[in-house]
Amino acid sequence: MKLIRTSQEERYGEQGISEVSYSTTPNKAILVVGSNIRELEIILEAFKEKDIDIYTHDDMMLAHTFPKFSEFKHLKGQFGLGLENCLLDFATFPGPIILTKHSLHNIENFYRGRLFTTDYTSSPKGIIKIENSDFSQVIECAESTKG
């Protein structure tokens, strides 16, 4: 764990205390779920020129404690209460949901068609796989589900 924390702080800055918004704005939005903050960084870079807000869920909240992530003005905050509430959180989120690697969640019909994954090892039925950081389908989904 010490090695992981050290490598994260080398890349993203020294971890600190940060206030995180739990409210959303009426804009196009994407929810990023999991614990792989490197993938969150890739997603934030891919969407920095788009008019789409990014929210984190569950363990991804950790990213808000690193100074690097405050540079991304479209990273708006945390949505939902965590893994134990993902059924309700995902069903009520008004946009696409990206499951990063190391994400395990209940897959329900409420949000099929809005679920994407960057995980190369598995793709359960109902989840759209993102290949080669091609987020075009996510953008299309976000455009059509503006909250």
Side-chain angles (χ1 to χ4, degrees):
M1 291 304 294
K2 184 177 179 181
L3 181 61
I4 291 171
R5 182 179 174 142
T6 300
S7 66
Q8 286 176 333
E9 287 188 346
E10 286 174 4
R11 183 172 187 94
Y12 303 117
E14 188 174 327
Q15 208 171 4
I17 297 171
S18 177
E19 287 196 31
V20 180
S21 173
Y22 276 88
S23 62
T24 58
T25 61
N27 195 20
K28 298 167 278 193
I30 295 169
L31 185 63
V32 182
V33 183
S35 59
N36 190 329
I37 64 172
R38 173 65 180 124
E39 286 191 54
L40 174 62
E41 181 185 19
I42 291 167
I43 292 164
L44 288 165
E45 284 292 337
F47 286 91
K48 69 181 177 185
E49 300 300 321
K50 308 287 181 196
D51 184 27
I52 299 174
D53 295 337
I54 307 289
Y55 294 89
T56 57
H57 186 271
D58 197 32
D59 291 342
M60 198 62 78
M61 183 181 220
L62 175 70
H64 296 276
T65 66
F66 292 104
K68 171 71 175 173
F69 289 95
S70 64
E71 296 173 12
F72 297 102
K73 300 304 177 201
H74 58 302
L75 178 59
K76 296 297 184 179
Q78 176 86 352
F79 182 87
L81 300 174
L83 183 60
E84 64 279 358
N85 292 317
C86 71
L87 177 67
L88 179 61
D89 293 345
F90 290 7
T92 58
F93 188 76
I97 301 159
I98 299 176
L99 304 175
T100 64
K101 293 179 187 95
H102 317 301
S103 298
L104 297 173
H105 291 84
N106 295 325
I107 307 305
E108 298 290 338
N109 289 327
F110 298 122
Y111 36 83
R112 286 205 176 149
R114 294 188 299 123
L115 274 177
F116 299 83
T117 186
T118 56
D119 195 341
Y120 56 87
T121 59
S122 66
S123 184
K125 184 177 180 180
I127 298 182
I128 302 160
K129 189 171 289 232
I130 297 169
E131 304 278 349
N132 302 316
S133 297
D134 178 5
F135 296 103
S136 58
Q137 288 180 298
V138 178
I139 293 168
E140 190 175 301
C141 183
E143 294 285 344
S144 68
T145 56
K146 180 178 177 180

